[in-house]
């Protein structure tokens, strides 16, 4: 489930900056403030988004490339540091605020899915495994420049949360476990 959440968050972050800038850099830190990695997102003139992920030493650990087709469907391919495909995701947005994403492995087999519904300032997402069984959920609420998200397991028990604050060209996010203890943070800056 963690992988699904992270991928979804990256997709939201990537699609959210399409119209804002052609380059953003997100830095991830652990609970002690030590850098654990970065993600650099670049958008070309055709709207294609390329993400390069690096570890704390600046070594590339993987990449992703996102394109949008004429039907408004976002297709993302994930690769490891050697350029080998490790998986893909396909997101379709509808006019009623729904976003449906299917995740696949390197062989094109479905590994899971997520369904998001956005209504005004709230977004509710349900994550499922390849058999359609619910594995978890998340609920986000945005108020002015702040976004609070709560993550739950398949039984509805809280597993963690995140709080984001947007200011000018920066988005600062703090992640917490189910007990409210800080587990890490990230800062997204527009270049």
């Amino acid at each position: 489930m963690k992988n699904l959440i992270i991928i979804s968050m990256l997709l939201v972050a990537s699609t959210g900056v399409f119209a804002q800038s052609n380059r953003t850099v997100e830095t991830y830190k652990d609970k002690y403030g030590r850098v654990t990695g970065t993600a650099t997102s670049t958008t070309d003139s055709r709207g294609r988004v390329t993400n390069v992920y690096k570890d704390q030493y600046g070594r590339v650990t993987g990449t992703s490339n996102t394109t949008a087709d004429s039907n408004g469907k976002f297709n993302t391919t994930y690769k490891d540091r050697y350029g080998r495909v490790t998986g893909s995701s396909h997101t379709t947005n509808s006019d009623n605020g729904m976003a449906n994403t299917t995740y696949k492995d390197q062989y094109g087999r479905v590994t899971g899915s997520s369904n998001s519904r956005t209504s005004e300032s709230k977004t509710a997402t349900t994550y499922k495994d390849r058999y359609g069984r619910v594995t978890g959920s998340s609920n986000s609420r945005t108020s002015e420049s702040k976004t609070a998200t709560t993550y739950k397991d398949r039984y509805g028990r809280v597993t963690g949360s995140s709080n984001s604050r947007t200011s000018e060209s920066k988005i600062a996010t703090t992640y917490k476990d189910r007990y409210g203890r800080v587990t890490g943070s990230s800062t997204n800056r527009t270049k």
Side-chain angles (χ1 to χ4, degrees), residues 5 25 33 37 45 52 58-59 64 67 77 98 100 113 142 145 158:
I5 292 175
V25 178
S45 59
V52 178
R59 299 174 301 199
S64 67
T67 59
T77 300
M98 288 292 296
N100 301 306
S113 64
T142 300
S145 61
V158 173

Side-chain angles (χ1 to χ4, degrees), residues 18 46-49 66-76 91:
F18 278 176
R46 296 183 179 180
R48 295 178 297 191
V49 178
T66 301
T67 59
D69 61 24
S70 59
N71 296 318
K73 183 177 182 179
F74 292 94
N75 300 297
T76 302
T91 302

Side-chain angles (χ1 to χ4, degrees), residues 69-174:
D69 61 24
S70 59
N71 296 318
K73 183 177 182 179
F74 292 94
N75 300 297
T76 302
T77 300
Y78 304 94
K79 297 180 180 180
D80 64 17
R81 60 180 175 171
Y82 301 110
R84 299 174 300 202
V85 174
T86 57
S88 64
S89 64
H90 311 273
T91 302
T92 302
N93 298 299
S94 59
D95 296 332
N96 61 357
M98 288 292 296
N100 301 306
T101 302
T102 300
Y103 305 97
K104 298 181 179 181
D105 63 17
Q106 63 266 49
Y107 304 109
R109 299 174 300 199
V110 174
T111 58
S113 64
S114 65
N115 306 99
S116 297
R117 177 184 292 277
T118 300
S119 177
E120 297 180 349
S121 61
K122 301 178 183 178
T123 299
T125 303
T126 300
Y127 305 95
K128 299 179 180 181
D129 63 18
R130 60 180 175 174
Y131 302 110
R133 300 174 300 199
V134 173
T135 58
S137 64
S138 65
N139 289 277
S140 298
R141 179 190 293 271
T142 300
S143 176
E144 297 181 349
S145 61
K146 302 177 183 178
T147 299
T149 304
T150 300
Y151 305 99
K152 298 180 180 181
D153 63 18
R154 60 180 175 174
Y155 301 110
R157 300 173 300 198
V158 173
T159 57
S161 64
S162 66
N163 289 278
S164 299
R165 179 188 292 272
T166 302
S167 59
E168 296 181 356
S169 60
K170 182 177 74 173
I171 302 174
T173 304
T174 300

Side-chain angles (χ1 to χ4, degrees), residues 37 47 177:
D177 62 18

